[in-house]
Structure formats: C-alpha cells, structure tokens
Amino acid sequence: AMASVSRMEGRALAAERKVDALMDAATADARKMRGLEARIEELEGMVAKLTAQVRRDFENSSIPSSAQGPGRKKIPNTRRATGRRPGAQPGHPHHPRRAPEPTATVAIADPEGWDADPDLYRTGEERRKLVVSARVAVEVTEYVANVWRRRSTGGRLHAPFPEGVSDELTYDGSCKALAFLLSNECCVSLARASTFLREASGGALDMSVGMVCGLAGEFSEKSEPERRAALESLLSSPVMHADFTVANVGGEQRQVLILANGGATMMLAREHKGHDGVRGTPLESYVGTVSHDHDVTFYKYGTSHQECMQHAIRYLVGSTQNEPHLTWNSLMLDHVRSMLHWRNSLPPGGEPDPAEVAAMESRYDEILGLAESEYAEHPPSKYYREGYNLFVRMRDYRDSHLLFLHDPDVEPDNSRCERKARVFKRKQHECTCFRSFESLSHVCDGIATVDTMRAAGKDVFAEAVDIFGRPRPVAKG
C-alpha cells in the first residue's frame, strides 16, 4: 500500500511539474503575443502616418497645387457638357476685344473686272479688319548747352540742364518702370530683364543688371505716399487679413508679414514671426476683426477673429481619407461647405437670417459632440493627429470659425493674404535667395504697392512712371 501511495505521489509531482512547465510556456507565448500585437499596432500606425504623408496634396493640406510636381493629381473638372457653342450665350452682354485706333490704313483694291460687271454695284459699305503689331519704340532726347569760358579765371560754365538730367545718359521714369515691373511684377530675373530690354529695343535700352536691381530700392523710397495711404486704409478697415510667409535672406530664414483688405496691401519684411514680427506694424494697434489661418499670435491683436474655413476644409478632407472609421469628419465637411454656399448666396449688403444662423450653429455643435464621442471610443493615433487637432481647434475656437455667419463684412477665408503670398513666393522662387534684408524690404514694398494700385483700378505702368519721375526724398538726419 505504501509503495502504491509513493508511486501516486510521484506521478502527481511529475504532473504538477509538467503543468508548471506548460504554464510557463503559455505565459511566455502570451508575453510574446502581446509584444507582437504592440509591434503590429506600431507598424500600423507608421503605415497610417506614411499613407497620410503620401496623400498630402493641395486638397487636404496647405501645399499649393503648383508645388505638387509633375505627378500631381489632376484637378477634376466638374462641369458638364451642355452642347451649346462656346463664347457668349444669348442674353449675356458681349465683351469684345478693345480695338485700338489705327495708325495706318491700307485700301484694298477691288478685283479686276468688278466695275465692268453689270450684275455688281457698290453698296457704300466697308469691311474693316485690324492687324496689331508691337515693337519697343525708344525716343532719345539730346540736350545741348553752349560752353562758355571766363577770361579772368579760365573757368568753364554752361546753362543748367533740366531737373533730372544729370548724367551723360539718363533713363527716365518710363524706362525704369518697364524694367521694374518686368523684374518685380512679372518675376523675370535681373539678367534676363536686362537682356530682354536690350534685345527688344535694338540695343537702345542697355540697362545693366545692377541698375535693374537698384530700381526696387528707388521705387520703395519714392512710393512712401502710397504706402502711407495703404496704412490708413488698413487701420480704418473693419476687417484686416493677416498671414506670415517664409523668405530666404542669405541662406537664413526670414519672415514676411502680409496685411490686406479689399483695396490695400502691405508686405513687411521681418526678422522673425510671432509677437516679434508683429511689433511695430499696423496690426499691433489695429482695432477690428483679424482674419488669419489659426496663427495663435494673431489672437493677441484686434477685437475679434475669423479663422480661414478653407484650411478647415483641407484638414477635414485629410481626416476623411486617413480616419475612414469616423463619421464626424465627413458630416462636418458637408456642413462647412453648405455654410459657405449659404454665405456666398447672400445678396450684397444683405443681413443674415438669425434663425438660419442659429440652425447652422446648432448643427455645428451637434457634429462636434459626435466627434468627441468617436474620439473617446477610438483615440487618435500618435502617428496621425491632424483630425483630432482640428476637432479640438473647431471646438475651442468655435466663435472664430463661425463669425462669418453673423457679420456680412467678414469673409469666411483668408484668401486675400494667400493670393498675395503666392505673388511673393513666385518672386522668391525666381531669385532663390535675397542678398540682404534691405533688398527683401524693397521687393516687399514694390509688390504691395503695385497690388494696391491694381486693386484701385489704376494703370499700373502709368503710376510707376509717375513714381519714378519723382525726386528722391531727402534723407532724414
């Protein structure tokens, strides 16, 4: 009996050891499984992050369509064929090309034999067609003054030349305006602008690269009255659009602060962005609504704010692409688009209906509540947080997203500054790198002044000729 008990105890002990071994193996497998699951989750997050980066384009981010490269997505054309002929449609006003006054008239002789044909007779009508030719015409005026000599001293003197005629060869305001606009408005490089003018004029306009380069500084000095007028317009405007964009000065990053309203533009070269970039600018003392792209710096200035809803649309598109398991993003995207459509359909000067505004605000809050519950159930991945960050922004800055529903003077986007920024970016891309901070300031002054003149409907070339014809201001001090 004792032997049987001993054998049973041995078997039980062996079984326990076997169970312990199996439990250790199971624990190791479970630990390994948890490690694999964590690794899989990390890899899935990395895939999501890389996928989001690959999908970034002009539709779901701030990347402009011009920066997409040759393989960029084709912008879809949502228009439908109507079968109508191209051009003006019946009932619409006709907009013909403006016909210039002819400088020469060529009479076309009638074909031989028409006078002798009894079946033909003149109606008294005429058919006229114009052919426009272009050339760079250069007028050179030579001023000649007799030289006199004083017998007593031997000194030479002559009658004074007109004001502005000081060098052996002087280019007037029209030549300078042409070169300035070609370089700064058309974004042609200095060397190419100089070469083009020389070739187009047959060698008469032989302006050096250095001279073309210096025209921006001269224009900046002489256009001070225009910039003062733009400053007054911005400070008195109920809404000011603001944005920063990057500049390259000597290989180092600098900033350009863009301020704009419906008619005036200012571009200010700054060493840094943030409050240092705003200090000393019109925005620092502005009292009104500031429209911007959620740069939190701007919330310290002005009395109210409007966030760019086009930026919200881009990030909502990105959220729908990278967070397909959520529903709030697509609902909010449709709602924002419907609000913009409603806003654009208001007649000029029309006041919004308070009941419609309240309904749109209620729907906005309802979708944000859905977003909060969805992110509580599906926390945002550390690899893609743009959707969640947008939700937090639209919740915390609710009034700044919906101000355009209440105020007809407030536009729902910051396109005014973005369009100005693209003009500067084209110039930055053309010159690659500004040599000095002063040259950056001069280019900014020129671009902003030309844009202001164009917004006022002025003849930009004629205005530039007038500005270059002014005397240089006397240096202070």
Side-chain angles (χ1 to χ4, degrees), residues 197-319:
L197 292 175
R198 182 171 58 254
E199 294 176 347
S201 63
L205 292 179
D206 192 11
M207 306 174 73
S208 66
V209 174
M211 180 178 182
V212 177
C213 180
L215 292 177
E218 182 178 348
F219 186 87
S220 176
E221 291 181 8
K222 296 181 177 181
S223 61
E224 178 66 24
E226 283 74 13
R227 292 201 300 281
R228 284 200 302 267
L231 172 62
E232 295 175 359
S233 174
L234 287 171
L235 290 177
S236 62
S237 175
V239 182
M240 181 189 295
H241 296 253
D243 197 6
F244 277 107
T245 190
V246 179
N248 185 350
V249 179
E252 297 182 356
Q253 187 179 99
R254 294 293 181 265
Q255 297 290 329
V256 174
L257 175 61
I258 304 173
L259 305 175
N261 59 15
T265 301
M266 292 191 74
M267 291 186 179
L268 306 170
R270 315 301 292 169
E271 293 284 349
H272 308 283
K273 63 184 309 185
H275 297 294
D276 289 341
V278 176
R279 189 174 296 112
T281 70
L283 182 59
E284 186 180 25
S285 57
Y286 176 68
V287 179
T289 299
V290 181
S291 178
H292 52 87
D293 304 339
H294 192 68
D295 188 331
V296 294
T297 300
F298 297 141
Y299 274 101
K300 298 294 184 180
Y301 308 96
T303 55
S304 58
H305 302 268
Q306 172 63 53
E307 296 232 6
C308 180
M309 297 305 291
Q310 289 299 328
H311 277 69
I313 286 179
R314 294 170 195 158
Y315 288 115
L316 285 169
V317 171
S319 177

Side-chain angles (χ1 to χ4, degrees), residues 152-432:
S152 58
T153 62
R156 298 174 182 270
L157 66 160
H158 58 76
F161 285 94
E163 184 180 0
V165 182
S166 56
D167 299 329
E168 295 295 325
L169 181 116
T170 301
Y171 292 106
D172 71 355
S174 62
C175 297
K176 293 179 178 180
L178 182 61
F180 168 77
L181 293 175
L182 190 63
S183 174
N184 293 274
E185 174 72 1
C186 302
C187 296
V188 178
S189 69
L190 300 174
R192 289 185 177 181
S194 174
T195 301
F196 172 79
L197 292 175
R198 182 171 58 254
E199 294 176 347
S201 63
L205 292 179
D206 192 11
M207 306 174 73
S208 66
V209 174
M211 180 178 182
V212 177
C213 180
L215 292 177
E218 182 178 348
F219 186 87
S220 176
E221 291 181 8
K222 296 181 177 181
S223 61
E224 178 66 24
E226 283 74 13
R227 292 201 300 281
R228 284 200 302 267
L231 172 62
E232 295 175 359
S233 174
L234 287 171
L235 290 177
S236 62
S237 175
V239 182
M240 181 189 295
H241 296 253
D243 197 6
F244 277 107
T245 190
V246 179
N248 185 350
V249 179
E252 297 182 356
Q253 187 179 99
R254 294 293 181 265
Q255 297 290 329
V256 174
L257 175 61
I258 304 173
L259 305 175
N261 59 15
T265 301
M266 292 191 74
M267 291 186 179
L268 306 170
R270 315 301 292 169
E271 293 284 349
H272 308 283
K273 63 184 309 185
H275 297 294
D276 289 341
V278 176
R279 189 174 296 112
T281 70
L283 182 59
E284 186 180 25
S285 57
Y286 176 68
V287 179
T289 299
V290 181
S291 178
H292 52 87
D293 304 339
H294 192 68
D295 188 331
V296 294
T297 300
F298 297 141
Y299 274 101
K300 298 294 184 180
Y301 308 96
T303 55
S304 58
H305 302 268
Q306 172 63 53
E307 296 232 6
C308 180
M309 297 305 291
Q310 289 299 328
H311 277 69
I313 286 179
R314 294 170 195 158
Y315 288 115
L316 285 169
V317 171
S319 177
T320 59
Q321 294 175 347
N322 298 289
E323 297 175 316
H325 56 285
L326 304 180
T327 59
W328 83 274
N329 41 28
S330 59
L331 294 176
M332 183 61 81
L333 178 61
D334 293 338
H335 185 54
V336 170
R337 285 173 171 169
S338 66
M339 288 192 296
L340 295 180
H341 179 75
W342 171 86
R343 175 66 165 75
N344 294 332
S345 65
L346 289 178
E351 291 293 330
D353 184 1
E356 293 181 342
V357 172
M360 286 184 284
E361 288 183 322
S362 177
R363 178 58 175 165
Y364 181 91
D365 296 334
E366 178 185 344
I367 297 175
L368 288 184
L370 174 62
E372 187 171 7
S373 62
E374 287 186 339
Y375 280 120
E377 183 179 355
H378 305 283
S381 168
K382 66 178 181 179
Y383 296 101
Y384 179 81
R385 298 184 62 87
E386 281 81 355
Y388 178 77
N389 293 340
L390 177 64
F391 151 67
V392 173
R393 181 193 309 174
M394 298 183 78
R395 180 194 64 190
D396 295 348
Y397 295 88
R398 172 187 182 276
D399 294 342
S400 297
H401 281 83
L402 301 180
L403 180 61
F404 74 96
L405 298 178
H406 302 268
D407 192 344
D409 293 331
V410 176
E411 299 175 3
D413 55 55
N414 197 29
S415 297
R416 291 193 182 277
C417 276
E418 292 185 355
R419 286 193 290 266
K420 320 302 181 190
R422 284 195 288 270
V423 175
F424 172 78
K425 285 299 185 184
R426 285 195 291 269
K427 181 60 181 177
Q428 172 73 87
H429 180 73
E430 174 265 314
C431 68
T432 305

